[in-house]
Amino acid sequence: MLSPAPSAELTLRAALAAEAQGDGAAALTHYRALLNLIPDHPGALLRLAQAVRADDPAIAIHHLQRAVQGARRLGLRADAAPLFAELATLERAQARTTDALATVRSGLAQCGDIAGLVWEECECLRELGRSAERAARLNRLAALQPNDAAVLAELGLALIHTPSAAQAVRPLRAALALGLQDADLSLALANLEIRVGDFAQAEPRLRALLKMRPDDLGALAKLWHLLRIACRWSEAAPVQQAMLERIAAGEVHPALSPFTLLGCEMSPALLRDYAERHGRHVDAAVAARPPHVRAVARTGPLRVGYLSSDFHDHATAILMAGLFEAHDPKRIEAYAYSYGPTGDSTYRARLQRAIPNWHEVSALSDAEVAARIEADGIDVLVELKGLTYGERLGIVALRPAPVIVHYLGYPGTLARQGVEFLVSDAIVSPPDSDTLYNETLLRLPRCYQANDRRRLRPAPTPRAALGLPAQALVLCNFNQSFKWSEPWFRVWLRAIAAQDDAVLWLLDPGASARAALAPLIAEHGVTARVLWAPRVPPAEHLARLPAADLALDQLPCASHTTGADALWMGVPMLTCLGDGYHGRVGASLLAAVGLNELITDSIEAYANRLHALLLDRARLRDYRQHLADPRMLDLFDTAAFTQDWENLLLDTFARAVEAGAPDPAA
């Protein structure tokens, strides 16, 4: 590592010879002698540090810091990398991760992108919870070591938790192709392949996993989810039965989120029980704090923080934009904590204008975001993701505000640390349903779903431009295919089969799902009357909706934003009242526009009502006339909703103040 004086050279040779002979004690004696000659000799200091690190890490760190200084004095570059890596590793072991990151980055500046140093940097970033930075540096490490399966696997797993999740497919496949044997990694890849629509890769991967591990609930659940999305219902049924039997027996799997189960025919009580077990399992690996921020009465407006990754052209922003704009600054001082995309978008710009206290926190760790929220003195934190993809519930687990509320993102109990309240209404959560939730319910006096009366209401697209028959009776369903099921699909097909001029207009689920549905559609003799609508941008979607005469809802997971879209554009919707929150949203929407007669209570009643409506075209026209100006309807009264929302938050915080200081032992 250096060119020592002759006496120092002899001492170094003696130390190396002793090491070669396995005489560690003699080697250390020679290294100490060498330090008498060259006090900052990097190699000697490294060996002394390695000798004492287990018994006296503080001394070891001191030796390594001196070694680094010696390396700088000597102008060492790549040869100094082990010194920085060793020092950073030791600092991490002493819970000094911030110091370790500074050390390794100093080493990178001196030595260049040495793979070992980049790996150590990634470990520091992992411990600090800085996921986006870590993914970027793992990408660099993969470029340095393109055939290292472990590095590729880490890169893929890191990317899954970023907005660039789709890019994780390539490194995960490469890691497995290089021979890495990891069932959990294969499951993560299959789940990602389902999300990007590559069923041809995901399905054999899942079946291979189940062949190796027949009892793997995660693989079983992902296979069921794939089959449901692909509308292969006869194949999905036995898989669902096996999955539910294991869930009922008390099994849990981290890869099976309760969110996936919203499309499953299961009792609300079993869904709640699974959510509780899953929450405990996931929370066991999440840093948490007991309640520690006291609710203190304010003389000024209530400070309300909104936490989400969806402050862009997303359903959450579309629904809530009017609420943010309608906030009374004398009552509410709003803050946004955004960890989603930062690119330009119409709704992102609109929300930034509405919420002046805007914080971009995607690059921060959960602990850093929580510290920011706590420093801002937030009284009520509104978490908007729930159990949906991209959530960062680790932030709320740190309890950075005295009151933490979940709203809108997830239609059911979260059963996660830190979330004390869940916003609902009397229809989606009737009075006898409180036992289905771990959270305290906060019921709004109107439909729980915010809507924006300033939302674009474009001119209708002519039917001819949409490929729809001009004089047909058009029934539509624009929900994702995972919400569909055979019983409901048969109801729709029987309805149009009974009316020669009726067509069924559905969101295109893709070629494989269309192929799976073709025999069922042909069985009813309506192949030419089932039409597929492509996926289009939101404005185009709104413009095409008025071409439909009636929107069709389904269970177990009802229409949410999809239903509000239809009503906003003047299209009535037929729904059925489900058992849980997620199955009752359509009913709440209809009640809020005064169309309660379109709410049924069973699939049989739904089928009968649909048949009657197809025979009573005048009634359908009356419904459309009722919806002609949605701004006059309660569902779209943004000002009144905002007042109710603010009252709810103010009342909830006032009760927290009355309850006194949090109990740190709680």
Side-chain angles (χ1 to χ4, degrees), residues 2 92 105 132 159 188 197 205 244 270 274 277 305 312 332 388 394 436 532 546 600 630 648 666:
L2 50 93
R92 282 197 299 114
R105 286 184 167 169
L159 286 170
R205 197 179 308 283
L244 290 179
L270 183 58
Y274 182 79
R277 296 198 302 272
H312 55 100
I332 301 294
T388 59
L436 299 177
W532 307 104
T600 62
L648 186 79

Side-chain angles (χ1 to χ4, degrees), residues 70-86:
R72 288 198 180 104
R73 179 181 65 79
L74 294 167
L76 299 182
R77 294 183 62 79
D79 286 346
L83 304 175
F84 288 99
E86 186 84 15

Side-chain angles (χ1 to χ4, degrees), residues 155-171:
L155 171 60
L157 293 173
L159 286 170
I160 285 175
H161 301 292
T162 72
S164 305
Q167 296 177 16
V169 171
R170 175 183 252 175

Side-chain angles (χ1 to χ4, degrees), residues 567-605:
L567 297 172
W568 175 246
M569 294 306 297
V571 182
M573 179 174 71
L574 179 65
T575 193
C576 186
L577 201 56
D579 295 326
Y581 195 131
H582 59 293
R584 302 172 72 91
V585 174
S588 182
L589 296 173
L590 285 166
V593 296
L595 291 179
N596 296 64
E597 62 188 84
L598 290 175
I599 303 170
T600 62
D601 59 6
S602 69
I603 191 170
E604 295 78 16

Side-chain angles (χ1 to χ4, degrees), residues 21-67:
Q21 295 169 5
D23 192 346
L28 289 176
T29 298
H30 291 305
Y31 282 126
R32 291 188 184 96
L34 180 57
L35 289 172
N36 288 330
L37 300 170
I38 306 176
D40 61 356
H41 189 284
L45 288 165
L46 174 61
R47 291 297 190 274
L48 289 181
Q50 291 171 334
V52 301
R53 62 187 173 189
D55 298 324
D56 198 337
I59 292 296
I61 287 173
H62 176 69
H63 287 328
L64 289 167
Q65 289 170 336
R66 288 176 57 204

